[in-house]
Amino acid sequence: MLNVPTQSFPAPSSQQRVAPAGQSGRSKVALKPGHSLMDWIRFAKSGRDLTGLRGRLIEVTEEELKKHNKRDDCWTCIRGMVYNITPYMDYHPGGEDELMRAAGIDGTDLFDQVHRWVNYESMLKECLVGRMATTVKGLQLKKDLSSNLNGLTPPAPLTGPASLSVSLQPSAAPPPGKDSRPRYDWFQTDLTVNLVIYTKRKIPSSGCTTVDLEGGVLLLEVVLGKMSYMLHLRLAAEVEGSIAVQTAFAVGKIQVSIRKQAKGKWQSLGQPLEFHNTLLHKKDRAFYYRDCVLVSKTEVNHNTHLFRLRLPRGTIMHVPVGKHVYLKALIQDSEVVKPYTPVEQTLVPASHDSSQGSDLFLMIKVYPDGVFTPHLHSLHVGDHLSVSGPEGPFSLRPLREVTHLYLLAAGTGFTPMARLIRLALQELSTIRKTKLLFFNRQEEDILWRSELDELAAGVERFEVEYVLSEPCDRWTGRKGRVQQSMLEDFLDRPEGSRCYVCVCGPAAFTEVTERCVFSSHVCSTDYLNHRWDKMNLVRQQGFSEEEIHIFQG
């Protein structure tokens, strides 16, 4: 039985995955009973021959790959490795049609559009057929398949800042504009070494900097919208493990200070490593995971907890509003990765929290029949969990001139809204009204209800309304599910206003809501039985695609 080691990060090139409005994100289909992720893990470990090659690994030519393009004989290539995905068809949450788009071809780009964060090497390791044959100047290069695990040498895992590597060499992004690329400088005292990054743009108060210092190697990333600026160095001399980050938000200046282990002057900052001083599209960066410790787990309601994770001593992480992180765990010998959006410790925290940058707070609903959340729920204080850096294409830029912000959330789709609410009320003075329409099954499911009600009572610029699909008899608020008439009443557009809508919740909720926002026709969950021209619907409703952002889970 093949047992190819997996990478400890998904390969480069995804959000709760966030998809811009007007693009289909990740559509899910109803799976047959017995075809969940855990069922697939069990099936893959059953000892059956999932490749049809009886354990052999082969070199696959492009011509051979093209032959396997049918439902009952389907191969695809991801980053140079070929997989027989026929056995996985019935287990794929996106359905058979989505997988067939990559049948018989290199499916890397299709995969990256939707599933970049998924650890396919672990999920499909028993389906591995072999490596794609490569050609140079039209001549096929013959590979020696006799060494290194039947000729397949898996990519090296990313275990620390020094080993940063990617499967594909991303191309550097062109400069956004003249002299707009960030730059850095450094200075020192006898006791400290200090890096200064000039981003040449304003920085949100939530910050945008992640610093990892491990074994004398410094990995620093600044997330600037959809771009990523990185410094990667082996420092010239030994340093203490702790770091400090100071940010001048208005001028876009970031200073990172590190204490030297011994007094003295350095002749240089250190040795540049891979991707040092580069500005790339964020989606082209490899994921880097760091080992975090669970320091507390607090009950929010009957099935949701607030997890507090402590970052390593040499790590500072500022997660921008609207971004998420990935949690990774080994469950039944398979790596499982899931995205979660951080929240603050409370809905509207004090302006400065001493834990900012060193702790992450994640509000997570536990699904008893799930794969990942029961594992999280079983963790005890002191247990460890792998956490990625900030991800996701959400940008604050569209909010700069907005006057009315509308938030539509269902269940734990509330998590990205929590920090958006604080941002709108405390820092974006142009936003005159922020309104939250919060959908849940029952009253006991409403997250942070007392804090939301207290905020609405004390701040005129904020309103919240709850909608329950299974209310008790004494409930006097809105009832039902998302529908057109409800949104027409909620999404008012005062004369002269500039509006923006954010939506987050289960896939079915976001899809229905997006259609309702765009359409003036009657809309309900039955919309899935119809096919509409979305561009016509956008024009009919009056909300443009630039005025809505869909967070998709």
Side-chain angles (χ1 to χ4, degrees):
M1 204 64 210
L2 296 177
N3 186 18
V4 180
T6 64
Q7 290 174 296
S8 55
F9 66 98
S13 355
S14 187
Q15 207 200 11
Q16 239 167 336
R17 168 177 169 94
V18 178
Q23 296 181 9
S24 59
R26 185 175 47 149
S27 299
K28 295 185 178 181
V29 300
L31 297 174
K32 302 174 184 176
H35 287 77
S36 67
L37 172 59
M38 188 57 73
D39 291 317
W40 167 252
I41 291 173
R42 295 190 188 102
F43 180 67
K45 294 178 179 178
S46 65
R48 302 186 188 187
D49 179 11
L50 301 189
T51 65
L53 299 174
R54 298 182 180 180
R56 292 182 300 115
L57 293 175
I58 64 173
E59 189 178 52
V60 183
T61 64
E62 185 176 353
E63 291 73 21
E64 180 65 24
L65 179 63
K66 289 179 181 178
K67 297 176 183 177
H68 303 272
N69 63 353
K70 302 178 180 61
R71 166 64 179 83
D72 58 355
D73 180 19
C74 184
W75 292 8
T76 193
C77 174
I78 304 177
R79 300 192 210 293
M81 309 304 282
V82 178
Y83 298 89
N84 182 351
I85 57 176
T86 311
Y88 185 60
M89 286 286 180
D90 291 334
Y91 294 85
H92 184 233
E96 172 186 325
D97 292 344
E98 195 70 15
L99 282 183
M100 288 302 297
R101 293 173 61 197
I105 64 172
D106 188 327
T108 303
D109 288 343
L110 290 171
F111 176 85
D112 285 343
Q113 289 173 19
V114 182
H115 295 301
R116 171 176 163 252
W117 53 274
V118 171
N119 193 326
Y120 64 90
E121 297 100 330
S122 178
M123 291 273 294
L124 299 176
K125 64 183 178 182
E126 304 299 344
C127 299
L128 181 62
V129 171
R131 190 195 301 271
M132 277 295 292
T134 57
T135 59
V136 176
K137 296 182 180 180
L139 297 178
Q140 182 171 323
L141 296 180
K142 299 299 182 180
K143 301 293 183 181
D144 180 6
L145 298 182
S146 63
S147 62
N148 291 320
L149 192 59
N150 293 336
L152 292 180
T153 305
L158 184 60
T159 56
S163 58
L164 178 67
S165 62
V166 292
S167 300
L168 297 178
Q169 178 80 14
S171 57
K178 185 178 180 180
D179 295 326
S180 63
R181 295 178 68 97
R183 66 178 182 87
Y184 81 99
D185 202 349
W186 72 285
F187 66 93
Q188 62 180 314
T189 68
D190 284 342
L191 297 175
T192 65
V193 59
N194 306 272
L195 286 85
V196 182
I197 297 93
Y198 303 93
T199 66
K200 303 180 183 179
R201 63 209 81 189
K202 291 184 178 180
I203 295 175
S205 65
S206 56
C208 59
T209 307
T210 299
V211 185
D212 290 285
L213 177 62
E214 182 182 349
V217 173
L218 179 72
L219 178 63
L220 185 153
E221 183 180 20
V222 180
V223 178
L224 303 169
K226 296 181 180 180
M227 306 301 292
S228 162
Y229 178 66
M230 179 176 286
L231 301 179
H232 192 202
L233 291 151
R234 183 176 297 280
L235 298 176
E238 294 185 353
V239 294
E240 301 290 346
S242 60
I243 54 179
V245 177
Q246 293 178 306
T247 305
F249 301 103
V251 298
K253 176 183 173 183
I254 302 165
Q255 180 171 318
V256 178
S257 299
I258 307 171
R259 288 189 64 85
K260 298 175 179 177
Q261 200 167 84
K263 289 184 179 181
K265 295 295 184 181
W266 292 7
Q267 297 303 310
S268 69
L269 182 57
Q271 175 188 355
L273 299 176
E274 192 173 15
F275 300 121
H276 175 64
N277 197 24
T278 56
L279 179 67
L280 303 179
H281 286 285
K282 175 62 177 170
K283 64 181 178 63
D284 289 332
R285 293 284 192 204
F287 289 175
Y288 171 65
Y289 286 88
R290 66 277 302 151
D291 193 37
C292 298
V293 178
L294 178 65
V295 295
S296 69
K297 183 169 60 175
T298 307
E299 185 177 288
V300 178
N301 66 13
H302 64 103
N303 59 12
T304 304
H305 294 77
L306 188 66
F307 292 77
R308 183 173 187 166
L309 300 175
R310 178 75 37 85
L311 296 164
R313 181 177 177 225
T315 297
I316 294 289
M317 185 191 298
H318 297 154
V319 181
V321 171
K323 304 289 187 181
H324 61 277
V325 298
Y326 291 105
L327 303 186
K328 182 179 68 174
L330 192 65
I331 302 175
Q332 292 195 6
D333 297 325
S334 293
E335 284 186 355
V336 181
V337 181
K338 291 292 183 181
Y340 294 99
T341 303
V343 298
E344 306 290 355
Q345 190 169 11
T346 59
L347 182 61
V348 183
S351 57
H352 177 74
D353 183 349
S354 61
S355 68
Q356 185 179 21
S358 62
D359 287 1
L360 281 178
F361 295 91
L362 301 172
M363 187 180 291
I364 299 175
K365 179 179 178 180
V366 177
Y367 296 89
D369 298 329
V371 175
F372 200 75
T373 57
H375 171 79
L376 292 180
H377 190 50
S378 71
L379 296 178
H380 298 94
V381 170
D383 286 344
H384 292 246
L385 197 63
S386 296
V387 181
S388 79
E391 295 288 335
F394 180 81
S395 173
L396 294 176
R397 186 179 297 273
L399 299 182
R400 290 179 180 175
E401 297 182 352
V402 165
T403 61
H404 289 69
L405 177 62
Y406 298 105
L407 310 175
L408 305 169
T412 49
F414 166 70
T415 54
M417 310 307 183
R419 296 179 74 205
L420 275 171
I421 291 170
R422 186 205 64 79
L423 181 80
L425 298 182
Q426 293 187 350
E427 300 179 34
L428 299 178
S429 58
T430 57
I431 298 182
R432 301 198 294 265
K433 181 70 71 174
T434 298
K435 296 173 66 176
L436 170 66
L437 191 60
F438 197 0
F439 294 81
N440 287 278
R441 290 178 60 244
Q442 299 176 343
E443 202 168 350
E444 63 181 1
D445 297 323
I446 301 174
L447 301 170
W448 276 354
R449 183 183 181 182
S450 60
E451 294 194 39
L452 288 167
D453 289 343
E454 182 179 349
L455 187 63
V459 180
E460 186 177 355
R461 294 167 56 211
F462 177 68
E463 295 179 9
V464 60
E465 193 167 2
Y466 308 107
V467 183
L468 300 183
S469 60
E470 300 177 12
C472 63
D473 294 339
R474 65 177 181 277
W475 178 255
T476 58
R478 286 185 185 264
K479 305 174 184 178
R481 301 180 183 275
V482 61
Q483 55 185 333
Q484 185 65 29
S485 59
M486 188 182 297
L487 296 190
E488 285 178 348
D489 179 49
F490 179 74
L491 299 174
D492 57 312
R493 298 182 68 115
E495 185 175 354
S497 64
R498 293 181 294 275
C499 302
Y500 199 75
V501 182
C502 292
V503 181
C504 189
F509 171 82
T510 59
E511 291 166 359
V512 171
T513 304
E514 182 181 8
R515 298 274 183 157
C516 289
V517 170
F518 285 156
S519 174
S520 60
H521 298 305
V522 174
C523 180
S524 72
T525 51
D526 293 333
Y527 90 94
L528 292 170
N529 298 323
H530 302 278
R531 291 292 183 266
W532 296 340
D533 181 345
K534 182 172 286 189
M535 290 310 298
N536 284 337
L537 303 182
V538 172
R539 287 190 289 267
Q540 290 169 3
Q541 175 64 14
F543 280 89
S544 69
E545 293 189 21
E546 290 71 31
E547 293 177 309
I548 180 172
H549 185 87
I550 309 292
F551 297 91
Q552 291 190 337

